[in-house]
Amino acid sequence: MKLSMTKITLLALCVAGLFGVLYTRSSGVKFTEHDRYERGVQRLKQLDTDFNVDVLKARFRLLNNYDGFSEQLDESFATLQELTNFPAFVEAEGSVALSRTLASFSNSLSQKQEMIEQFKTQNSVVRNSLNYFPIAGSELIKKAAASPDGRELELSFDGLMRELLVFSLTAEDELEPQIRLSMEKVRAWTEAHPNHADIKMVTSLLAHARAILSRKPKVDALTRQLVAIPTGEQADEMLHIYQGQFGLALQKTHAYRLALFGCSVLLLGGIAWAIFALRSANRHLEHRVAERTAELSGKNAALQESIAEQLRTSDALRSSEQRFRTLSTCSPVGIFETDATGICQYANPRCQLILGLTFEELVKNEWMKILHPEDKDRVTGEWKQVVAAGGELNSEHRFVFPSGEERWVHVRSAAVRKDENVVGHVGMVADITDRKKAEAERKAMELQLQQGQKLESIGRLAAGVAHEINTPTQYIGDNTRFVRDSFQDLLPVLNAPRKLLDAFRDNRMTAELLLTTEEALKKADVDYLIEEIPKAVTQSLEGIERVAKIVVSMKEFSHPGTTEKTQVDLNHAIDSTLTVARSEWKYVADLVTEFDATLPPVLCLPGEFNQVILNLTVNAAHAIADAMKDRDMTKGTITVTTKRDGDWAEVRVRDSGTGIPEHARAKIFDPFFTTKGVGKGTGQGLAIAHSVITDKHGGTIAFETEMGKGTVFIIRIPIAPAAKAATENTPEEKEVHV
């Protein structure tokens, strides 16, 4: 009996040890280590993306401070060092693969660190020259326009400045020969005018032009090399290797749990076998305990079935819960659950990370305290309404953390019902700060492009406006000199009556005095002066009015405007823009305006609307100029009309140009698409016009065209957008072939 008990005790110890080992192995994956390591790899990818974005921003002069490069590289090296501490469940083979990938990533970061210094040096030179060149170049062009012998310099430098600015914004090398030709023209001018007052400024600007021409390709090459370094692919490979190790660890954990379940079943089988052995060894007692044994056997069988059923149910629940925990832990968005009163019952690690709160703080509704002051009343009101009514929540709002950091989140939730009763709420929380920042950056870049095109338009129109002002100024000067000379001729005539009056009073009237007066009248040709002097004064006043109109129109067009919409007289705004652009169309077209006098003021952004009209007018003039080369005609016609169409203000700009080709019509409003030759168009005019009219004014812009006859662009803006949505009663935008 003692030997049997010893065997049983040893067997029990072995079984207990086996169960302990299986239980320990089935709990080998620690999700806190997994979260730490995966967040580190994701952060490494984000830093690499931010670095590449900043390089591109610096290349296009959207980033003036280079400190971010060093900070991003330092943080990347620090994060890389942290990632060398692998989670315990990573096997030896996975550690070797991860170490190899980490070493490759470190080498790539070192390459970026070496190349970024060269990039900063070269890009700083190009950026400084580009910042100085347009301002000083515009000033030089203005001085050259005012100088009698500066016309050649003005034309040469205007072309050089436009070509260099286009060259700096594109990766095309075709402009380099033309730029060098323009530089040679300017240099030839400096040799021909060595003593000119602006010779130092011209020489300095040529030096800046050479710097841009020589260093810009180097900056582009460094930019491509920096972006081409495969840190992103290496980070993806690192994440792929790690996730493979994590999945393998989960599979092993599941296998150990299955083994644990199998051992439990075997243990129950061993117990049953022990009972059977005891019954066999004590058969001589069966006749005394037969009934009791039968009863106990029945109960034992029922108990075993109950235990087996409970084990199966427990295993299914455990497996389901494990899958949910795994999915919840690995989810890139926050997941939360509340009871019917809105008290938090569960929040995954991502939810706690996004909100910066622990589960205990979420239970106390601490998230309401860090809501942005501008969103707090709205969000708390929406949440209370959802809890009370059992509806759905779909909200975007901001949180302000104790550190002062402000982040955007998107929250969606739905009620959980049982027998038509709300028993709780489940939802998700996503961090959309990067998306909001990207939207803000995109809007800022669009605004910068629009301002850049407006400045480009003003610079392009400056020479034409100067020429327009010069013509009336010349005949104002001629008439003023005529009046001055005529007044000198009239002085003897004006003095003669006074002399006759004095002689009459003193009785000194003589025939000689009368003869002198008569000769003065004849010499002055008074009849001619009486007829011509009023005409000269009238012409001078007309010239002054014309100059004043041009100056006022230029002032209204170049005004930076406001960010808020104002009531604008569209007829007056269009007329001012057409006056400013006169130099663009007067040599190729006659302008016809048909303004609706009953059109009321329209709520819009005047500066951006003027830019749209200018873009369409300049495009019309260019189309007519192209048509003049193909058709036998001296001038074309540009017709601008306005009218009221219900709740809409409609503007039409029609030209008698070449029309839009079939292959280009679907892409006419795409950014950077142009049908013009190199150096004649940036492809931004119609794209900006479409954005201004549709996005900022809630209107539409469409066109009708026919090859060989011309094109008409149709703009429709709601007169009162607050009273009617911009998308209602808006005609479909489509091409109509006349």
Side-chain angles (χ1 to χ4, degrees):
M1 187 65 180
K2 291 183 179 180
L3 183 59
S4 298
M5 290 299 298
T6 302
K7 291 181 179 180
I8 293 173
T9 303
L10 290 175
L11 180 61
L13 290 175
C14 291
V15 171
L18 178 61
F19 270 82
V21 171
L22 291 176
Y23 178 78
T24 302
R25 294 297 182 89
S26 65
S27 304
V29 177
K30 295 184 179 179
F31 290 100
T32 54
E33 291 185 356
H34 165 67
D35 290 342
R36 173 191 64 80
Y37 203 85
E38 190 172 53
R39 283 198 301 268
V41 177
Q42 295 289 355
R43 181 56 182 163
L44 207 58
K45 291 180 62 178
Q46 183 63 43
L47 287 171
D48 178 65
T49 302
D50 294 344
F51 180 87
N52 290 337
V53 171
D54 286 348
V55 168
L56 294 177
K57 286 182 179 179
R59 160 63 184 86
F60 291 102
R61 295 186 292 160
L62 300 178
L63 186 69
N64 296 324
N65 192 343
Y66 294 140
D67 294 341
F69 293 132
S70 299
E71 294 175 358
Q72 290 164 349
L73 289 174
D74 291 342
E75 187 174 351
S76 296
F77 277 116
T79 305
L80 202 63
Q81 182 61 33
E82 293 177 359
L83 292 177
T84 57
N85 185 16
F86 305 136
F89 57 78
V90 176
E91 297 183 352
E93 182 180 355
S95 299
V96 172
L98 285 174
S99 299
R100 183 175 60 253
T101 308
L102 287 172
S104 299
F105 196 94
S106 179
N107 292 334
S108 298
L109 282 182
S110 299
Q111 293 179 19
K112 285 192 173 184
Q113 196 169 36
E114 293 175 1
M115 294 176 62
I116 195 63
E117 297 302 324
Q118 303 176 32
F119 173 82
K120 290 191 290 186
T121 301
Q122 299 291 342
N123 193 56
S124 296
V125 174
V126 174
R127 184 182 64 191
N128 292 337
S129 295
L130 286 174
N131 288 338
Y132 170 77
F133 193 85
I135 299 173
S138 299
E139 182 180 353
L140 178 61
I141 291 174
K142 187 185 299 182
K143 290 183 178 180
S147 174
D149 58 349
R151 180 61 176 172
E152 181 182 356
L153 176 61
E154 175 192 359
L155 293 176
S156 299
F157 213 90
D158 180 65
L160 175 60
M161 183 166 67
R162 285 188 285 105
E163 291 160 0
L164 268 177
L165 291 178
V166 172
F167 178 75
S168 68
L169 293 174
T170 63
E172 300 176 358
D173 297 332
E174 290 80 355
L175 290 175
E176 183 174 347
Q178 184 63 33
I179 293 173
R180 294 191 181 279
L181 180 60
S182 299
M183 291 174 62
E184 182 61 27
K185 290 180 180 180
V186 176
R187 189 191 64 77
W189 184 92
T190 60
E191 293 178 354
H193 302 81
N195 298 322
H196 195 272
D198 299 322
I199 192 66
K200 291 184 178 180
M201 181 181 290
V202 175
T203 305
S204 175
L205 286 172
L206 278 176
H208 281 284
R210 285 192 292 270
I212 295 172
L213 195 62
S214 63
R215 293 179 181 267
K216 184 260 182 182
K218 297 178 181 179
V219 173
D220 287 342
L222 286 171
T223 302
R224 288 191 294 270
Q225 292 173 10
L226 279 169
V227 175
I229 293 176
T231 47
E233 292 82 352
Q234 292 167 350
D236 289 335
E237 182 183 359
M238 190 186 311
L239 184 61
H240 176 72
I241 293 172
Y242 170 73
Q243 288 179 341
Q245 290 294 310
F246 178 66
L248 183 61
L250 286 179
Q251 291 177 0
K252 289 184 176 181
T253 299
H254 185 64
Y256 281 118
R257 289 181 178 172
L258 290 176
L260 183 62
F261 174 74
C263 289
S264 300
V265 173
L266 290 176
L267 179 61
L268 291 176
I271 294 174
W273 176 82
I275 294 174
F276 178 77
L278 289 174
R279 289 180 60 192
S280 298
N282 297 285
R283 285 182 182 180
H284 61 284
L285 299 176
E286 286 183 358
H287 64 282
R288 292 190 296 173
V289 293
E291 293 181 359
R292 183 62 177 168
T293 301
E295 181 182 355
L296 290 176
S297 296
K299 290 183 178 181
N300 187 52
L303 180 60
Q304 289 182 17
E305 181 63 27
S306 176
I307 292 174
E309 183 64 27
Q310 290 179 6
L311 286 174
R312 287 192 295 271
T313 303
S314 175
D315 184 66
L317 290 175
R318 189 181 300 110
S319 177
S320 176
E321 180 182 3
Q322 183 59 42
R323 284 196 299 270
F324 170 76
R325 296 291 180 184
T326 302
L327 292 174
S328 175
T329 302
C330 298
S331 173
V333 299
I335 300 174
F336 66 89
E337 180 182 5
T338 72
D339 60 14
T341 63
I343 301 300
C344 184
Q345 301 297 310
Y346 170 76
N348 71 338
R350 184 64 178 173
C351 179
Q352 300 177 36
L353 179 64
I354 291 175
L355 300 180
L357 299 173
T358 64
F359 176 73
E360 291 74 15
E361 291 172 329
L362 289 173
V363 171
K364 299 177 182 179
N365 282 342
E366 293 290 329
W367 60 271
M368 292 186 179
K369 296 182 180 179
I370 61 172
L371 283 170
H372 193 282
E374 297 178 2
D375 300 339
K376 188 170 185 178
D377 293 339
R378 172 179 62 84
V379 176
T380 54
E382 290 175 351
W383 178 242
K384 290 179 180 178
Q385 183 178 2
V386 166
V387 171
E392 296 183 355
L393 177 67
N394 187 359
S395 174
E396 292 183 358
H397 50 268
R398 293 163 289 177
F399 283 113
V400 180
F401 297 99
S403 62
E405 180 185 11
E406 180 180 308
R407 301 193 69 82
W408 279 90
V409 298
H410 179 203
V411 180
R412 295 196 65 176
S413 72
V416 179
R417 299 178 181 274
K418 183 177 181 180
D419 299 331
E420 301 301 325
N421 296 321
V422 176
V423 297
H425 301 268
V426 293
M428 53 78 69
V429 180
D431 190 333
I432 59 172
T433 305
D434 293 339
R435 191 192 79 190
K436 290 290 185 179
K437 289 182 179 178
E439 291 176 356
E441 290 176 359
R442 178 180 59 80
K443 293 180 180 178
M445 290 183 68
E446 289 178 354
L447 179 60
Q448 189 172 10
L449 283 174
Q450 293 175 8
Q451 292 297 329
Q453 194 196 36
K454 186 170 184 179
L455 292 175
E456 179 187 355
S457 301
I458 293 173
R460 185 177 69 249
L461 296 174
V465 171
H467 178 71
E468 290 295 318
I469 293 176
N470 184 55
T471 300
T473 303
Q474 287 180 351
Y475 66 71
I476 290 172
D478 294 341
N479 289 333
T480 304
R481 285 188 290 272
F482 169 72
V483 172
R484 180 194 64 190
D485 297 340
S486 299
F487 183 75
Q488 295 296 327
D489 294 339
L490 283 174
L491 279 178
V493 177
L494 296 175
N495 289 327
R498 185 171 57 187
K499 293 179 180 179
L500 288 174
L501 182 60
D502 292 342
F504 179 77
R505 288 175 178 172
D506 298 338
N507 294 321
R508 293 186 289 102
M509 184 69 69
T510 62
E512 182 180 358
L513 184 59
L514 292 174
L515 181 61
T516 302
T517 303
E518 185 178 1
E519 289 177 354
L521 289 172
K522 292 180 179 179
K523 184 178 180 181
D525 196 0
V526 175
D527 293 335
Y528 171 75
L529 295 178
I530 290 175
E531 181 179 357
E532 295 299 326
I533 288 177
K535 293 181 180 179
V537 173
T538 301
Q539 288 180 353
S540 299
L541 291 175
E542 291 176 354
I544 291 173
E545 290 178 358
R546 183 173 173 185
V547 172
K549 181 178 180 181
I550 294 173
V551 171
V552 170
S553 298
M554 191 65 180
K555 180 181 178 182
E556 291 177 353
F557 177 79
S558 60
H559 192 278
T562 63
T563 57
E564 300 294 334
K565 293 182 179 179
T566 58
Q567 296 289 344
V568 176
D569 182 353
L570 294 189
N571 294 337
H572 177 72
I574 295 172
D575 186 60
S576 298
T577 303
L578 295 176
T579 300
V580 171
R582 177 180 170 81
S583 60
E584 294 285 339
W585 55 260
K586 71 175 184 178
Y587 297 110
V588 298
D590 295 322
L591 183 68
V592 178
T593 57
E594 300 174 2
F595 294 153
D596 184 357
T598 64
L599 184 65
V602 178
L603 192 65
C604 68
L605 301 169
E608 300 190 17
F609 177 79
N610 290 343
Q611 184 66 42
V612 172
I613 298 301
L614 175 65
N615 292 348
L616 296 181
T617 305
V618 171
N619 283 352
H622 290 174
I624 292 174
D626 293 338
M628 290 172 62
K629 299 176 183 178
D630 302 331
R631 303 202 297 264
D632 185 15
M633 66 178 190
T634 56
K635 275 190 175 184
T637 303
I638 299 176
T639 305
V640 182
T641 62
T642 63
K643 72 173 183 178
R644 177 171 185 171
D645 185 8
D647 293 332
W648 297 80
E650 182 177 288
V651 181
R652 290 175 175 254
V653 181
R654 183 185 300 275
D655 66 70
S656 58
T658 58
I660 302 173
E662 182 73 29
H663 69 274
R665 295 174 185 175
K667 301 181 288 183
I668 200 70
F669 294 115
D670 291 350
F672 303 109
F673 176 78
T674 179
T675 58
K676 301 176 183 177
V678 177
K680 293 184 179 180
T682 63
Q684 287 295 301
L686 289 178
I688 290 177
H690 186 273
S691 175
V692 168
I693 296 302
T694 59
D695 297 338
K696 298 185 178 181
H697 292 85
T700 64
I701 179 170
F703 64 89
E704 301 171 354
T705 185
E706 183 176 0
M707 293 301 296
K709 291 189 177 181
T711 303
V712 55
F713 280 90
I714 307 163
I715 298 173
R716 289 170 58 86
I717 301 177
I719 297 176
K724 183 178 287 292
T727 57
E728 294 179 356
N729 300 327
T730 303
E732 180 183 3
E733 296 185 17
K734 60 182 180 180
E735 299 174 2
V736 181
H737 304 292
V738 182

